[in-house]
Structure formats: C-alpha cells, structure tokens
Amino acid sequence: MTFENYDYLCTMTLTTQIRNRIKQFPEGKTFGYDDLRIAKEDYTTASKTLERLQKSGLIKKISKGVFYRPKQTIFGELPPNYSVLLQDLYLFENGKRIGYVTGTSLYNQLYLTTQIPFSTKIATNKRRGKVTLGWEKATFTKAYTEVTENNYKLLGLLDALKDFKKIPDLDKNSAIKILSTKLKELNPTEIKLLIKCGLAYPPRVRSFLGALLENIKTENDLTALKTSLNPLSEYEYGIGNRQLPTAENWNIK
C-alpha cells in the first residue's frame, strides 16, 4: 500500500467516524470538535468533513466550531430552538458549567416578577459584551465568583438580593416569602456554600442574606457575614421589621 493510499484510507475512516458520531447527537443539540472524540491533530481533516456535511444539509453551523443537527419533520426542517442553543453555547464549556441565566429571566422563573425580558442576561467570567443568535439576544455580565454546577443556583438567589430594588413589578412582601422558602429548602451544606459565595457580593447583599437566614432560624453560623459588615453602615431596601423581623439586626432600612 502506498503512502497516498494509506492517507486516503485514514481520511475515509475518520470521515466515517465523524458521520457516525454526529448521527448519535440529538437533533437540535449543539456540538463542537471536542464532542467528536477525535485527536486534535485530526481537526484539519475534520473541518473539511464538517464542511461537506454542511453542504449536504446534515448539519448546520451556529458559530465558529459549533454545529447542530437540524430537526426534520414531514413539513420540512424546523428552525433551531435558539433559546436552548444559546444556553448550550454560553453556559457550558467542554461539558463544564461556566455561566448561568440571571436578571429578569431568572427572576421571572423565581416568580419575583411577571415581566419577560427581550434579551437573556448570562453571568459568566468567560465572556463580555452581547450576542445575537437567530431571534435570541443575550448580554453577558461578570459573575461575582467562579460558576460551578454546585453553586450556580445559589448565585442566582444572591443576584436576586443584589437586584431586589430593581426587579420590575416586585412585591416586596411576596418576594421575601418566596426567597425565604427557597432558603429553607437548602440543606446546611448548601447554606454554608451560599454564605461563602455571598461574601464575594456587595455589603448590602451580605446584610440582606444574613437577615433572611437569621429569620428562617438557620443552624448555620452567620458570624462570617456579620463580621464582614461595617456596623455603622445602613442598607436601604425599603424593608421594615413587619416584613422581615430581623432587618434591624442587620442595619436594613
């Protein structure tokens, strides 16, 4: 066998491998080179294969190095779910969570507001600026700490405390009850992690968190939160003791 024949055989084997791997991906699910399970030295050959698959219509390109299998129906090809694709692209990197949805989208899911935003806000430390994907738009904001699968929901709760005064159509009484219920659902280990993450947030968030945790009578030690605050500082939330009995203990007004 000549070198040219061997090289051709290797290329055809890799092409078949890529085709078979792609057929295993769910329709509409994004994938990249890492998902193909090929060596990095084969990326150049793979790119040519992926280009041919795009021309044949088997896959579509979303952005550089990111593709998906379009979903086919009896009525033709369905447009991708850009909302899902957006999260696949920017909430994870190589299967590892690097971001989470925050802002009004999250607060709507938490029943803190009924408003639905025109764009999605994503907290991450991996990207800045804005992006448009089909009819979906997203803006990126800096996360206060490294985002992981274990803490991203906790960071969302802390964001709600941070944005409490800015959440549209917020009913403070209902919001405090909702947030208190969410905190009660956490186990001691999760609350310990919540406090650790909370220490990276502004003082007003730490005071609000401390007041809420004290009010639900958590068994966790709140000393770290208390000592992180200036005892002479006051935090304006427009909340009184009738709404949150422990507010005064944490200098919340």
Side-chain angles (χ1 to χ4, degrees):
M1 181 183 295
T2 66
F3 176 80
E4 289 77 9
N5 288 338
Y6 177 76
D7 188 53
Y8 174 77
L9 182 60
C10 289
T11 299
M12 292 305 296
T13 301
L14 181 62
T15 298
T16 301
Q17 177 186 337
I18 292 173
R19 280 179 172 273
N20 291 338
R21 177 65 180 152
I22 289 174
K23 288 179 180 178
Q24 296 176 14
F25 297 143
E27 293 177 329
K29 177 75 173 177
T30 58
F31 66 90
Y33 284 89
D34 289 339
D35 299 302
L36 298 176
R37 297 177 183 173
I38 58 175
K40 290 193 174 181
E41 55 265 29
D42 291 329
Y43 278 17
T44 300
T45 302
S47 67
K48 296 177 182 178
T49 299
L50 293 172
E51 187 175 340
R52 289 194 295 271
L53 294 179
Q54 289 178 68
K55 291 179 179 178
S56 69
L58 180 64
I59 63 173
K60 299 282 186 178
K61 185 176 181 179
I62 289 290
S63 62
K64 184 178 180 181
V66 181
F67 311 86
Y68 75 98
R69 280 182 62 204
K71 187 176 181 63
Q72 302 291 342
T73 70
I74 58 174
F75 302 107
E77 180 182 314
L78 286 180
N81 186 329
Y82 289 112
S83 178
V84 173
L85 293 179
L86 190 71
Q87 295 190 35
D88 285 345
L89 284 172
Y90 302 114
L91 300 192
F92 299 90
E93 184 176 83
N94 298 327
K96 179 182 178 182
R97 181 176 285 277
I98 58 169
Y100 62 97
V101 174
T102 187
T104 305
S105 298
L106 172 63
Y107 308 147
N108 177 273
Q109 294 174 17
L110 293 173
Y111 301 104
L112 298 175
T113 180
T114 58
Q115 290 201 12
I116 300 175
F118 291 106
S119 66
T120 302
K121 180 180 284 189
I122 295 175
T124 179
N125 289 318
K126 297 291 186 177
R127 191 180 178 95
R128 296 289 181 272
K130 302 178 181 179
V131 68
T132 299
L133 194 61
W135 51 77
E136 289 285 339
K137 296 182 179 180
T139 58
F140 299 92
T141 186
K142 185 178 180 180
Y144 279 84
T145 187
E146 181 184 1
V147 181
T148 68
E149 195 63 37
N150 290 331
N151 73 10
Y152 80 95
K153 291 182 180 179
L154 305 177
L155 298 180
L157 293 177
L158 292 169
D159 287 352
L161 303 186
K162 174 178 66 70
D163 295 337
F164 194 81
K165 293 172 62 177
K166 300 188 296 183
I167 297 175
D169 298 333
L170 179 79
D171 180 281
K172 293 180 180 179
N173 291 326
S174 296
I176 289 174
K177 291 178 182 178
I178 290 171
L179 292 169
S180 296
T181 298
K182 290 292 183 183
L183 294 177
K184 289 177 182 178
E185 293 172 351
L186 302 177
N187 61 45
T189 300
E190 291 171 324
I191 291 181
K192 183 178 180 180
L193 179 57
L194 176 68
I195 292 172
K196 180 180 179 181
C197 293
L199 292 172
Y201 278 72
R204 71 178 188 279
V205 178
R206 304 199 298 269
S207 68
F208 200 176
L209 176 61
L212 288 169
L213 289 175
E214 182 181 349
N215 190 54
I216 66 170
K217 296 179 173 54
T218 180
E219 297 178 359
N220 290 71
D221 186 1
L222 304 181
T223 303
L225 286 174
K226 180 68 81 170
T227 57
S228 74
L229 300 171
N230 184 338
L232 301 179
S233 297
E234 294 184 346
Y235 309 100
E236 184 62 48
Y237 273 101
I239 296 174
N241 282 347
R242 291 187 62 183
Q243 296 163 303
L244 184 58
T246 54
E248 188 174 333
N249 299 342
W250 295 81
N251 291 350
I252 293 175
K253 306 297 181 182

